[in-house]
Amino acid sequence: MNDQPAKFTLKLSCEDRLGIVADVATTLARAGCNIVEAQQYDDLENGRFFMRVDFTAKTGLTDTRAMFGPTADRHDMYWTLRHADACRRVLILVSRFDHCAADLLYRAQTGELNMNVTGVVSNHPRSALNLTADENVPFHHLPVTAETKQDQEARLREIIDDVDAELVVLARYMQILSEDMARYLRGRCINIHHSFLPGFKGARPYHQAHTRGVKMIGATAHYVTGDLDEGPIIAQAVEPVTHADTPEDLMRKGRDIERRVLARAVSYHLQDRILLNGTRTVVFQD
Amino acid sequence: MNDQPAKFTLKLSCEDRLGIVADVATTLARAGCNIVEAQQYDDLENGRFFMRVDFTAKTGLTDTRAMFGPTADRHDMYWTLRHADACRRVLILVSRFDHCAADLLYRAQTGELNMNVTGVVSNHPRSALNLTADENVPFHHLPVTAETKQDQEARLREIIDDVDAELVVLARYMQILSEDMARYLRGRCINIHHSFLPGFKGARPYHQAHTRGVKMIGATAHYVTGDLDEGPIIAQAVEPVTHADTPEDLMRKGRDIERRVLARAVSYHLQDRILLNGTRTVVFQD
Amino acid sequence: MNDQPAKFTLKLSCEDRLGIVADVATTLARAGCNIVEAQQYDDLENGRFFMRVDFTAKTGLTDTRAMFGPTADRHDMYWTLRHADACRRVLILVSRFDHCAADLLYRAQTGELNMNVTGVVSNHPRSALNLTADENVPFHHLPVTAETKQDQEARLREIIDDVDAELVVLARYMQILSEDMARYLRGRCINIHHSFLPGFKGARPYHQAHTRGVKMIGATAHYVTGDLDEGPIIAQAVEPVTHADTPEDLMRKGRDIERRVLARAVSYHLQDRILLNGTRTVVFQD
Amino acid sequence: MNDQPAKFTLKLSCEDRLGIVADVATTLARAGCNIVEAQQYDDLENGRFFMRVDFTAKTGLTDTRAMFGPTADRHDMYWTLRHADACRRVLILVSRFDHCAADLLYRAQTGELNMNVTGVVSNHPRSALNLTADENVPFHHLPVTAETKQDQEARLREIIDDVDAELVVLARYMQILSEDMARYLRGRCINIHHSFLPGFKGARPYHQAHTRGVKMIGATAHYVTGDLDEGPIIAQAVEPVTHADTPEDLMRKGRDIERRVLARAVSYHLQDRILLNGTRTVVFQD
């Protein structure tokens, strides 16, 4: 196993200019790295360039980063370089509806999602949830009221820092994060909103959808920002509904969409497939 | 041919009460009518009952209507009864983008849509359009400016009345109808909006969608009301898009969705599959 | 609560003839039953009539059945009449891939699927599975080899009879049932096949799909018959794939489709929405 | 206009080896070309590398090809390099159902498909068709019987050569091409099959689908090979159907799928987005 080359994922963005692809590819080729997959995107509107490269190398992470550094500096890149198979530390937040959380835990357990769930946080007690999580996943009950909101969030932040969470997933966590917290988690906190944004922002979107009489419902996974339901969208999906569906039917049908969309968004994040582009995302799909 | 029973479509709505289905079915059975297809819906929220029945009868339209009248009166029904194969008179309005209009004309020509297109009205001259319509379909060029809007609409109304249009289709007609006109055409005027309502109301929805960074775009067919983009929704569909799609790409991808959704809505209307239920629709799908 | 009317589901099929809908509806109306939802289908090819009715009644199950019996006899109906909220006894069979089984268990636990999982049977030991099932669900390990197949199936049948299973779900159970067993479970055993049938029957369908280079993969839920992969289809779904997907990628992407399709089929069965029509099914969707 | 750089599309495949991306990108960068979009794929199973690059250059087509030649030779590439906005010569073949042909003609007329339809060939007379094509598109009526098949195909080949067709589209052309003809048109003849292959090969697929009782129907666009319905698949799509759909309903619903899938496949071909990979295709989607 010792001699098998390691696989890395490089993602980067920078100002677009002639020769970047050549420069990146040549840097890797000279270091004996083999590009397995590469995707790129030029945003002609704002002149930004985005790229994701999977490659194999004979060196370790530190040396590989050192090798690529000068190229990154030359183009003033925002960039990350990680082991492609690195297991990331993830914290899951959930309120009463735990279908998304249960789904993520199952996918972590089977290895489909390459993540280590370092904890589940809920404002409801464990007994109120359906998920039959592994006993090894710590559960934190953080009840919250209007009065205790600030304290609760301080406690939440301690947990995030304690487990050194690389990603925080709001898996139907029905509490609104403060602007401070949203800023602290910028680019590493994914929420699932149970509507096809920008339709039906805010509370009770399935009831709103029923009232409006739409013929499809959807769900939206997005990065959390201080501006509620306005964060950069990562993934969306919809399913048809009919006039006969009550708000409760919509909630039931919607659960399947929410699970699927959130799992896809988390998967893309874990694989370094997403780059922020202002208020939007670049998603290099698999 | 003489002896073959005629096929009728009955659609109705009334206050829900015990025994309506039995009453309708018994009325038809006693008259020797055979139910081929029946769909119903009870709106438990507002206590309204909706039904659509396809049946064969040995009597003509007038006699069949007379036969059903007392039952309808007994339940104070809103109802229509038509020959199932009646060809309806339809007027198509279009501005510069004529993909929807061309699609409807083709479907009329092949008989897929059982309608007689009695005219095409556009605020642009025929030479500005791509559609190669049958020479037999009258084309009306009704240019419009802010000053002439009232006159133009008066002329439009004349045409609608002249051809006795049972349905008016706004096939990417980019002019807003007056409240008066909307009221006059209530329940018989279908518009295609090029977004997944209620997202991106108003002008340039594809540009709005691009700016927001959504991962799917859609189209919505709805009945026209005085309240723009708020009419009862008939059909919707979406397709995935990516970060790489420019507004122009969205417009191109959207055209296919618009055509499909509008054709489906028109087809449902022509087959008496739609009933209004307040600000929503009941659509008995095929 | 005592006075609240009970809700029943009636499903039936019989030879099509004039007046059946009237007869059924009148029978129910005279008994003071209120039809909440009704769907029907006439198969004009073979002259069969199919119907499903949700209604409320003031009588209990036995009396309601007795009330409807004469009408059923008059038309020589195949029919069932059950409490709409009756919790059904279900046995789940699974091999190594337990994503479908885990999904069904979760949906049972949340009450989305109104079923009592009376046991999980696997030819693999519990430790080989990922599912973290409720301790209250009995687990049966029934290993099987070519030599022991007959004995294993005899033991399986004992379990089915012991728990009086109303439905047996093959949730990625990779053993082929004998013709005898298939016959014994006729109409109450649902399998999920991991391809869009009739494409890619038999073993390793994702590998077959990869070799053929299809651009979408799918899954099919069907009733089990002696004729492998030929049973009446209940539900199907697909998702797009690309040239870059390896067979392993297809398996991963396919899991989501399989779960969704199987859950939908089980849900339809539990709600008495499915009627057999020769080698096909009539599915009255919600 | 003179100073605006021209846009080219390069597509290539070759044996995979270290440094190809770097070599291609460096070659282009040194010549002052700017990569606008690039996609690649390594088939790890067979060691083939595939790439598509959109780039701008200051030189004309001949010089740009000459510039890239040595790099292509060094890696023994299969490659094409074309003006990205080159309008390609396309011949459309159609039998009685002309919805696909009419759709392609409309898309050509609006410029959505960048092609010059150099002719429409049918084994039926123009009067039997619905399409109201531009008078400028030559129509060839080539009736065919078992006896005249060879002659008819010889005449067809003359037309193909006369108009120097770069692409031949079988838009519901219900005649089987001879092996010779299939070989002659290898990689430049696209057929639409009205089923979700590999299901329902051969004749009357919608009737087969009805008999099997599937819950979705589909269409498949593929390159034509001597092996009927086995050519490399380019695009597929499906739509849900129900037990109530007759074969005629399936044909009607299928038409929309066929049009969409064929238009997408033709669009990908025209944009040099497709590369053959044995019996499969690599499709670099937009």
Side-chain angles (χ1 to χ4, degrees), chain B residues 222-251:
Chain B
H222 63 90
Y223 283 115
V224 171
T225 60
D227 204 352
L228 193 65
D229 298 338
E230 292 291 346
I233 294 172
I234 303 167
Q236 300 187 289
V238 299
E239 291 286 340
V241 297
T242 77
H243 57 264
D245 287 309
T246 62
E248 287 68 38
D249 291 328
L250 300 187
M251 288 170 70

Side-chain angles (χ1 to χ4, degrees), chain C residues 196-207:
Chain C
F196 187 79
L197 288 176
F200 312 127
K201 296 177 197 173
R204 294 164 64 86
Y206 290 125
H207 287 79

Side-chain angles (χ1 to χ4, degrees), chain C residues 13-70:
Chain C
S13 66
C14 61
E15 203 181 315
D16 189 25
R17 63 174 82 153
L18 201 146
I20 295 177
V21 179
D23 209 359
V24 170
T26 304
T27 302
L28 294 177
R30 281 190 187 145
C33 302
N34 193 33
I35 295 180
V36 177
E37 190 185 322
Q39 289 169 290
Q40 59 167 88
Y41 167 61
D42 296 273
D43 189 334
L44 300 176
E45 277 176 62
N46 63 14
R48 294 291 294 175
F49 175 83
F50 303 83
M51 193 173 193
R52 180 186 185 277
V53 188
D54 269 334
F55 64 93
T56 55
K58 285 158 196 159
T59 52
L61 184 59
T62 312
D63 288 352
T64 310
R65 277 184 179 153
M67 174 272 292
F68 192 73

